């Protein structure tokens, strides 16, 4: 019945001129063709389409079959003969139909697909879409750009496989689909290359710009999110292959080096809506950051890379990219930022980075963002790596740079652990100055200015000693070192000049704070013990506040352990404080004896 209906409309249209086809003919052909497909007569429909006599009919009306054809192909199993017939019909339509109309029909199907069928539909239609685009004469660049944008918009909501198992399973087919899409784009990239080779003054940049947009979108998704390290057991990593192909396109169309180094000269699209402009800038920044990661960490395209840039210049170019990645909270992006930062630093020799780089905003912003990763990131191995990279960053600066960086971090980190770590670094630099080469930045009046930031309690005697214990212990250890290593008569560090200020701003308030804190915690312990005796059950759940933060619910016994631990910390601070004061007294007395 369905085949008869189709034959009837075909016979009717065969005797008509192309200009005489009516809307009714189109509708009847679509309905009859759809019935053939749905009732399993794909073979008969294929015969009709392949018949030379029907060429004009198919050219004008065939695109109407795309929607039912796609539905049937996705419905049939791989081994089904009907599916094979449908695929041949699709191929024939790509060859015979009006390119403009078929282009719109194919694009509509990609736009309408969703969920688990996105990758299947895209991969199914890429070949016919490519065939049609290669035939187009007018607005070819626009049509290629529209196709690539539509495809990427449909893929972007899909989760990117990250673990080895997810990549191997490729449940939604995204890995396979991404590589199919880049293969789809290659002929158009080759066309741009040929045109550029024909003329050094090649001005038709529209197609080139559309390919550049596609590459930028691909860098943001899926590559920014993807796991790009070599994985054991995966011979051909799909995302590494995809990344290599994107880099190849950028290199071939002569955009790789400009993107890496000259992107700040580029013009951003003008948006009247400022919100859209911000989104565009953010997307571009993330794409460029991913590109730098691919080149400088994974070494894609590195063979084409000119070996003329100094390590410090490469670091400078990448600092903004590093900041963009470190501000993200996702593991895949954070790890890329850390890897890129580490890679740039490892190219440099220690003590080679000049202090003037810290006049650049990015060189101040990045260590501050890195500190946030160190202190706030929930992923332990990334916290540890960020600490190692901070030390690497410090090591690369010459003395004045280290001095400036220390001052900055002491003022901005707002974290006692980080401040303690910086103070330990200051101590190491002072040691180098005193034992190896005298350095004006870690001796004399420069050091005195730095010690003013170190040897004090932020809020005097009211400072939370428990919360600031790392900083306080580091400061006491530094002071102890200075008193031991720098005699009062030498006073290279200036510590003896500022001793009264140290007493006033640090040692005396610390004594008062310790007495207050110990009394408070001892009273807390006494109260807890009394409450425990009164309670019938010592496992009663209570709450406890330490350093202004409410602790998780815990038993009285657990609370007592926390309180005793705090007292132990105060005792430790007190013992080091006593030792420092003893050393100061001995040194002063020894100096007096020498003078007498």
């Amino acid at each position: 019945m369905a085949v008869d209906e189709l034959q009837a409309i075909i016979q009717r249209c065969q005797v008509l001129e192309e200009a005489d086809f009516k809307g009714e003919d189109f509708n009847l052909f679509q309905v009859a063709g759809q019935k053939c497909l749905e009732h399993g007569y794909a073979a008969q429909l294929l015969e009709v389409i392949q018949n030379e006599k029907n060429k004009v009919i198919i050219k004008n009306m065939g695109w109407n079959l795309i929607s039912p054809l796609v539905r049937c192909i996705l419905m049939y199993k791989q081994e089904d003969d009907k599916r094979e017939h449908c695929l041949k019909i699709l191929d024939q339509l790509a060859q015979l139909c009006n390119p403009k109309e078929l282009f719109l029909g194919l694009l509509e199907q990609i736009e309408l697909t969703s969920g688990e069928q996105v990758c299947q539909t895209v991969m199914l239609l890429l070949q016919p879409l490519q065939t049609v685009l290669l035939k187009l004469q007018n607005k070819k660049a626009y049509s290629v750009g529209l196709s690539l944008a539509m495809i990427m918009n449909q893929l972007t909501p899909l989760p990117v496989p990250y673990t080895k198992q997810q990549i191997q399973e490729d449940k939604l087919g995204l890995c396979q689909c991404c590589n199919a899409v880049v293969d789809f784009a290659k002929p158009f990239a080759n066309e741009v290359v040929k045109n550029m080779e024909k003329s050094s003054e090649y001005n038709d940049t529209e197609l080139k710009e559309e390919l550049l947009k596609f590459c930028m979108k691909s860098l943001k998704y899926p590559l920014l999110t993807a796991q790009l390290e070599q994985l054991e057991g995966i011979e051909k990593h799909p995302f590494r292959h995809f990344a290599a192909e994107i880099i190849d396109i950028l290199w071939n169309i002569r955009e790789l080096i400009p993107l890496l180094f000259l992107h700040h000269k580029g013009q951003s699209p003008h948006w009247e809506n400022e919100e859209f402009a911000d989104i565009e800038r953010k997307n571009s920044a993330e794409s460029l950051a991913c590109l730098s990661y691919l080149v400088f960490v994974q070494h894609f395209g590195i063979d084409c890379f000119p070996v003329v840039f100094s390590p410090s210049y490469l670091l400078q170019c990448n600092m903004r990219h590093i900041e963009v990645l470190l501000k993200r909270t996702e593991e895949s992006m954070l790890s890329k930022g850390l890897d890129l930062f580490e890679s740039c630093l490892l190219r440099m020799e220690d003590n080679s980075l000049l202090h003037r780089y810290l006049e650049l905003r990015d060189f101040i912003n990045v260590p501050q963002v890195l500190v946030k990763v160190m202190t706030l990131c929930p992923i332990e191995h990334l916290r540890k790596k960020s600490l190692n990279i901070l030390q690497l960053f410090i090591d690369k600066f010459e003395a004045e740079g280290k001095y400036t960086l220390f001052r900055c971090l002491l003022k901005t980190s707002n974290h006692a652990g980080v401040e303690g770590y910086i103070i330990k670094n200051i101590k190491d630099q002072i040691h180098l100055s005193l034992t190896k080469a005298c350095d004006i930045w870690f001796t004399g009046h420069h050091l005195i200015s730095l010690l003013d930031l170190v040897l004090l309690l932020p809020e005097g005697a009211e400072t939370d000693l428990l919360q600031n214990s790392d900083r306080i212990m580091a400061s006491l250890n530094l002071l102890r070192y200075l008193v031991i290593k720098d005699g009062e008569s030498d006073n290279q560090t200036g510590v003896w000049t500022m001793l009264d200020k140290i007493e006033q701003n640090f040692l005396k308030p610390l004594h008062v704070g310790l007495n207050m804190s110990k009394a408070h915690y001892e009273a807390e312990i006494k109260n807890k013990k009394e409450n425990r005796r009164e309670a019938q059950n010592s496992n009663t759940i209570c709450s406890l506040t330490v350093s202004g933060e409410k602790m998780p619910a815990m038993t009285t016994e657990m609370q007592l352990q926390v309180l005793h631990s705090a007292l132990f910390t105060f005792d430790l601070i007190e013992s080091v404080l006593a030792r420092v004061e003893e050393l100061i007294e001995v040194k002063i007395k020894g100096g007096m004896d020498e003078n007498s």
Side-chain angles (χ1 to χ4, degrees):
M1 183 69 180
V3 177
D4 293 339
E5 285 182 24
L6 179 65
Q7 289 293 356
I9 184 64
I10 289 292
Q11 286 170 10
R12 173 180 162 178
C13 292
Q14 277 177 342
V15 297
L16 296 174
E17 292 294 324
E18 188 174 347
D20 294 331
F21 292 154
K22 297 177 182 177
E24 182 187 357
D25 300 324
F26 283 85
N27 291 335
L28 289 171
F29 176 83
Q30 182 181 5
V31 171
Q34 183 171 333
K35 282 184 181 177
C36 285
L37 288 168
E38 290 174 350
H39 296 169
Y41 299 115
Q44 288 84 339
L45 178 59
L46 178 61
E47 285 179 17
V48 169
I49 291 171
Q50 289 175 328
N51 191 328
E52 189 70 21
K53 294 178 183 177
N54 303 328
K55 194 172 181 180
V56 175
I57 300 170
I58 301 305
K59 176 190 170 186
N60 287 276
M61 303 184 189
W63 69 273
N64 282 307
L65 297 176
I66 292 295
S67 178
L69 194 58
V70 169
R71 281 201 305 273
C72 289
I73 293 172
L74 295 178
M75 180 181 69
Y76 292 133
K77 293 181 179 177
Q78 288 282 347
E79 62 277 5
D80 198 318
D81 288 342
K82 294 188 186 71
R83 187 177 193 276
E84 192 59 36
H85 291 137
C86 288
L87 289 171
K88 286 180 180 177
I89 292 171
L90 184 60
D91 181 57
Q92 285 293 306
L93 294 178
Q95 302 298 330
L96 300 172
C97 287
N98 180 301
K100 183 181 176 183
E101 290 172 339
L102 185 59
F103 167 69
L104 294 173
L106 291 169
L107 219 55
E108 182 182 30
Q109 290 309 300
I110 291 173
E111 185 179 16
L112 292 174
T113 187
S114 61
E116 294 183 2
Q117 289 194 331
V118 168
C119 290
Q120 293 177 58
T121 305
V122 169
M123 284 191 286
L124 174 64
L125 299 181
L126 281 175
Q127 187 57 57
L129 185 58
Q130 185 187 70
T131 302
V132 169
L133 286 168
L134 289 169
K135 288 181 180 181
L136 286 177
Q137 299 301 319
N138 299 323
K139 294 189 176 180
K140 184 176 185 177
Y142 170 78
S143 301
V144 169
L146 187 61
S147 302
L148 289 168
M150 180 72 72
I151 290 166
M152 294 307 292
N153 286 343
Q154 289 295 80
L155 294 180
T156 300
L158 302 179
V160 178
Y162 189 73
T163 66
K164 178 181 174 181
Q165 184 180 348
Q166 288 170 345
I167 291 170
Q168 286 175 323
E169 287 179 357
D170 194 19
K171 255 183 187 175
L172 297 177
L174 183 65
C175 300
Q176 188 182 351
C177 189
C178 285
N179 284 296
V181 173
V182 84
D183 286 340
F184 165 83
K186 278 182 187 177
F188 308 109
N190 293 337
E191 186 176 323
V192 171
V193 172
K194 283 179 185 174
N195 288 330
M196 288 193 296
E197 287 172 351
K198 283 179 187 174
S199 170
S200 58
E201 297 179 3
Y202 171 61
N203 292 320
D204 184 13
T205 59
E206 286 185 15
L207 184 55
K208 181 178 175 180
E209 285 177 5
E210 295 299 344
L211 289 165
L212 181 56
K213 288 178 192 175
F214 163 66
C215 290
M216 292 290 278
K217 283 184 180 178
S218 299
L219 288 166
K220 181 171 167 59
Y221 177 95
L223 293 176
L224 185 63
T225 310
Q227 162 67 268
L228 292 166
E229 299 291 340
Q230 288 281 13
L231 295 172
E232 191 178 341
I234 299 182
E235 188 175 337
K236 192 174 181 181
H237 191 312
F239 290 125
R240 286 183 65 83
H241 180 261
F242 181 68
E245 296 287 354
I246 293 296
I247 295 292
D248 278 350
I249 291 176
L250 288 172
W251 173 255
N252 291 334
I253 66 173
R254 302 177 191 173
E255 288 292 335
L256 181 61
I257 301 301
L259 281 176
L260 285 169
F261 295 106
L262 305 176
H263 56 270
H264 57 278
K265 294 183 182 178
Q267 292 288 318
S268 296
H270 175 71
W271 295 95
E272 290 183 10
N273 186 318
E274 190 58 34
E275 187 179 343
F276 286 163
D278 288 341
I279 292 169
E280 179 67 30
R281 280 192 290 270
K282 182 173 181 286
N283 289 342
S284 175
E286 289 178 344
S287 297
L288 291 169
C290 184
L291 178 63
S292 279
Y293 169 81
L294 292 176
V295 173
F296 295 112
V297 179
Q298 295 298 336
H299 302 136
F300 290 110
I302 203 72
D303 295 340
C304 315
F305 198 76
V307 191
V308 294
F309 302 111
S310 68
S312 56
Y313 179 70
L314 291 179
L315 177 64
Q316 182 183 341
C317 289
N318 280 306
M319 285 300 266
R320 192 164 299 175
H321 304 321
I322 292 163
E323 182 182 358
V324 166
L325 293 170
L326 293 185
K327 281 184 173 178
R328 297 297 297 260
T329 55
E330 301 89 337
E331 180 180 1
S332 59
M333 298 177 207
L334 260 180
S335 62
K336 284 182 178 68
L338 293 172
D339 288 344
L340 180 57
F341 199 6
E342 183 179 47
S343 174
C344 291
L345 292 172
L346 289 174
R347 296 169 191 269
M348 305 183 67
E349 293 183 7
D350 287 354
N351 307 306
S352 65
L353 197 58
L354 301 176
H355 70 278
R356 62 181 177 80
Y357 281 97
L358 288 168
E359 295 170 9
L360 303 173
R361 186 184 64 186
D362 296 334
F363 277 79
I364 292 296
N365 289 350
V366 168
Q368 291 178 3
V369 178
L370 189 65
V371 164
K372 289 182 180 177
V373 178
M374 284 165 48
T375 55
L376 300 175
C377 178
I379 305 165
E380 184 181 5
H381 74 93
L382 294 183
R383 289 200 306 273
K384 288 180 177 177
K385 183 164 186 172
S386 61
L387 177 61
N388 293 336
I389 290 172
L390 177 63
Q391 187 60 58
L392 201 57
F393 186 55
I394 291 168
D395 292 343
K396 299 308 168 187
F397 279 99
E398 36 81 86
E400 187 177 353
K402 288 185 175 76
Y403 178 89
T404 307
L405 184 59
F406 292 156
R407 289 186 70 90
C408 170
L409 290 174
L410 282 172
K411 289 178 178 179
T412 61
S413 68
N414 297 317
H415 189 280
V418 175
E419 291 164 3
Y421 188 78
I422 297 303
I423 293 167
K424 179 185 175 298
N425 266 275
I426 292 171
K427 175 174 165 286
D428 293 342
Q429 291 305 310
I430 295 170
H431 178 73
L432 283 174
S433 292
L434 293 178
T435 57
K436 292 186 178 179
C438 186
D439 190 313
I440 63 166
W441 294 99
F442 292 95
T443 55
H445 70 276
H446 286 301
L447 180 59
I448 289 173
S449 174
L450 190 58
L451 292 178
D452 280 339
L453 296 175
V454 173
L455 300 177
L456 85 165
L457 288 183
E459 296 169 40
E462 301 295 322
T463 301
D464 188 327
L465 301 187
L466 197 59
Q467 192 169 334
N468 287 276
S469 59
D470 288 342
R471 178 199 166 104
I472 292 166
M473 286 297 291
S475 299
L476 285 171
N477 282 327
L478 171 58
L479 183 55
R480 178 172 60 179
Y481 172 83
L482 293 173
V483 172
I484 292 171
K485 285 289 182 181
D486 190 18
E488 190 178 4
S489 56
D490 297 328
N491 197 23
Q492 286 178 267
T493 62
V495 68
W496 297 100
T497 306
M498 60 181 301
L499 195 57
D500 288 343
K501 188 189 279 188
I502 295 170
E503 286 274 0
Q504 197 66 32
N505 294 341
F506 186 48
L507 301 180
K508 284 182 180 177
L510 185 53
H511 268 297
V512 175
L514 281 168
N515 291 335
M516 289 165 56
S517 297
K518 287 177 74 175
H520 172 71
Y521 277 82
E522 283 167 355
E524 279 286 324
I525 289 171
K526 186 178 177 182
N527 287 337
K528 295 296 174 191
K529 286 180 177 177
E530 287 175 359
N531 291 340
R532 182 178 60 181
R533 282 194 293 271
E534 290 172 8
Q536 291 181 347
N537 183 0
S538 64
N539 288 327
T540 303
I541 303 296
C542 308
S543 64
L544 177 68
T545 302
V546 176
S547 297
E549 293 184 17
K550 194 169 184 179
M551 304 296 287
M554 55 177 74
T555 64
T556 304
E557 287 298 334
M558 292 162 70
Q559 291 182 58
L560 283 168
Q561 286 177 12
V562 171
L563 294 167
H564 279 296
S565 176
L567 275 181
F568 176 77
T569 301
F570 298 144
D571 288 340
L572 191 61
I573 293 172
E574 195 168 42
S575 67
V576 178
L577 174 60
R579 177 60 178 151
V580 168
E581 291 179 326
E582 181 186 333
L583 287 168
I584 292 171
E585 189 179 337
V586 168
K587 282 287 182 108
I588 292 173
K589 189 176 179 183
M592 287 179 177
D593 290 343
E594 284 179 17
N595 292 333
S596 61

